[in-house]
Amino acid sequence: MDKKFRITEQPINIDACIKKVVRAEAGAVNTFIGTVREFTKGKRTLYLEYQAYTAMAEKKLSQIGDEINERWNNAETAIVHRVGHLDISDVAVVIAVSTPHRNDSFEASRYAIERIKEIVPIWKKEHWEDGTKWIGDQKENTSYEKDIPSEEDMNND
Amino acid sequence: MDKKFRITEQPINIDACIKKVVRAEAGAVNTFIGTVREFTKGKRTLYLEYQAYTAMAEKKLSQIGDEINERWNNAETAIVHRVGHLDISDVAVVIAVSTPHRNDSFEASRYAIERIKEIVPIWKKEHWEDGTKWIGDQKENTSYEKDIPSEEDMNND
């Protein structure tokens, strides 16, 4: 529960994620929360299903924390991503970044969500009114009609 | 308790503030949290004291919500600012902005904190190890050695 970079099947406790980065040296915490949106380009989502290779995904989330530390001074990052069945308005991901000054917290939090979509092996299956589709990569440029790539395929990239 | 733009003397419930803006049309919530930092340019803060003209401050916070709606499409904003005695790491302000897409939530949240510092009549009194000072305007460019301006002075601006 105390891990700063976590994949979970449970509803995310936003406060707990924020508390992991609040500290005396920080004056700012930027939090980005991704929620399940009902409509995308006029198409209605009924619910989503997220799937991840947990160990690999947590390692990549932790790597994003390291990248932030290389780029911004005195930052502390926590990221939790939920997997499994998510309904409309459910929280899929929470990023919290604390820094001494506010500008850095905004920039680093923004960086984190973009990097999650680039490098973390998490897929979402859209369940629309008229069908389903696995969406991946995370940048949403590639779709898998049938299934997501195997863990072995991922390691061969 | 349900007001979206609020001054409070109580500890801020971050989750409650976020819940006010989560909704089916939104896929993103950006939250900015300002906390009390212990050191500023090497000078140690022991605690802070915030003071506001509540009615005027809430009106200005609400105005910031309106400005966000003029600038970003389909945004929902909630802002709570605490006043009174705040210790190190206490949460002074929470801004939550939800939008359909993430870029807008980052931009609008950033806009909100800058505008709070520009237009909202809230002052902070720094209690350092070696003395005290009222800091204002909110951009921290002006200090009041003795006291903050009166409400009447504010209305004459």
Side-chain angles (χ1 to χ4, degrees):
Chain A
M1 282 297 288
D2 276 314
K3 283 201 291 185
K4 282 197 171 140
F5 302 96
R6 222 156 53 82
I7 301 294
T8 180
E9 295 189 6
Q10 306 303 317
I12 298 174
N13 183 330
I14 298 172
D15 260 339
C17 187
I18 292 169
K19 284 208 176 78
K20 285 178 190 166
V21 304
V22 169
R23 61 214 155 95
E25 306 106 274
V29 181
N30 190 276
T31 304
F32 178 78
I33 300 160
T35 54
V36 179
R37 194 178 53 227
E38 188 170 14
F39 286 96
T40 298
K41 294 173 187 164
K43 202 163 180 173
R44 186 183 192 169
T45 296
L46 300 178
Y47 63 94
L48 294 182
E49 201 183 326
Y50 280 93
Q51 194 169 311
Y53 294 123
T54 301
M56 203 193 304
E58 290 186 340
K59 204 173 133 188
K60 290 291 187 183
L61 293 178
S62 172
Q63 177 190 321
I64 293 169
D66 293 341
E67 291 177 5
I68 285 173
N69 281 330
E70 285 162 18
R71 285 164 177 75
W72 288 275
N73 186 39
N74 196 0
E76 192 81 49
T77 306
I79 307 175
V80 187
H81 204 302
R82 188 173 168 192
V83 292
H85 175 112
L86 273 81
D87 290 314
I88 302 303
S89 291
D90 276 354
V91 172
V93 60
V94 176
I95 296 162
V97 185
S98 69
T99 56
H101 300 280
R102 65 183 178 278
N103 190 45
D104 286 354
S105 74
F106 277 95
E107 286 184 8
S109 167
R110 183 65 206 258
Y111 177 84
I113 184 64
E114 300 306 327
R115 287 297 278 161
I116 287 174
K117 290 181 181 288
E118 278 169 16
I119 67 168
V120 182
I122 300 173
W123 291 267
K124 76 176 172 193
K125 190 175 196 172
E126 287 269 6
H127 291 258
W128 294 300
E129 287 177 307
D130 60 352
T132 67
K133 191 182 270 184
W134 279 105
I135 309 286
D137 60 2
Q138 282 279 305
K139 279 289 194 188
E140 306 191 5
N141 298 319
T142 315
S143 317
Y144 302 95
E145 289 297 337
K146 291 188 177 165
D147 210 350
I148 63 176
S150 71
E151 192 161 3
E152 197 179 331
D153 285 345
M154 294 295 302
N155 283 319
N156 290 339
D157 273 354
Chain B
M1 283 299 287
D2 276 312
K3 281 199 292 184
K4 281 197 171 139
F5 303 96
R6 221 157 53 83
I7 301 296
T8 179
E9 294 189 8
Q10 306 303 317
I12 299 174
N13 183 329
I14 298 172
D15 260 337
C17 187
I18 291 169
K19 282 206 177 76
K20 285 179 189 165
V21 304
V22 169
R23 62 213 156 97
E25 306 106 275
V29 182
N30 191 276
T31 303
F32 178 79
I33 300 161
T35 55
V36 179
R37 194 178 54 228
E38 187 169 14
F39 286 96
T40 298
K41 294 173 188 165
K43 202 161 180 174
R44 185 181 194 173
T45 296
L46 300 177
Y47 63 94
L48 295 181
E49 201 183 328
Y50 280 93
Q51 195 169 312
Y53 295 121
T54 301
M56 203 194 303
E58 291 186 340
K59 202 173 135 190
K60 289 292 185 182
L61 293 178
S62 172
Q63 178 189 321
I64 293 170
D66 293 341
E67 290 177 6
I68 286 174
N69 281 330
E70 285 162 18
R71 285 164 177 74
W72 288 276
N73 187 40
N74 197 0
E76 192 81 47
T77 306
I79 306 174
V80 186
H81 204 301
R82 188 172 168 192
V83 292
H85 175 112
L86 274 79
D87 290 314
I88 303 303
S89 291
D90 276 353
V91 172
V93 60
V94 176
I95 297 162
V97 185
S98 70
T99 56
H101 301 281
R102 64 184 178 279
N103 190 46
D104 286 355
S105 74
F106 276 95
E107 286 183 8
S109 167
R110 182 67 206 257
Y111 177 84
I113 185 63
E114 299 306 325
R115 287 297 276 161
I116 287 173
K117 291 181 180 287
E118 278 170 14
I119 68 168
V120 182
I122 299 173
W123 291 266
K124 75 175 173 194
K125 189 175 195 172
E126 287 270 6
H127 290 259
W128 294 299
E129 288 178 307
D130 61 352
T132 67
K133 191 181 272 186
W134 281 104
I135 309 286
D137 63 357
Q138 283 280 304
K139 280 288 193 188
E140 306 191 4
N141 297 319
T142 315
S143 316
Y144 303 94
E145 289 296 338
K146 292 189 176 164
D147 210 348
I148 62 177
S150 71
E151 191 161 5
E152 197 179 333
D153 285 344
M154 294 296 300
N155 283 317
N156 291 338
D157 273 354

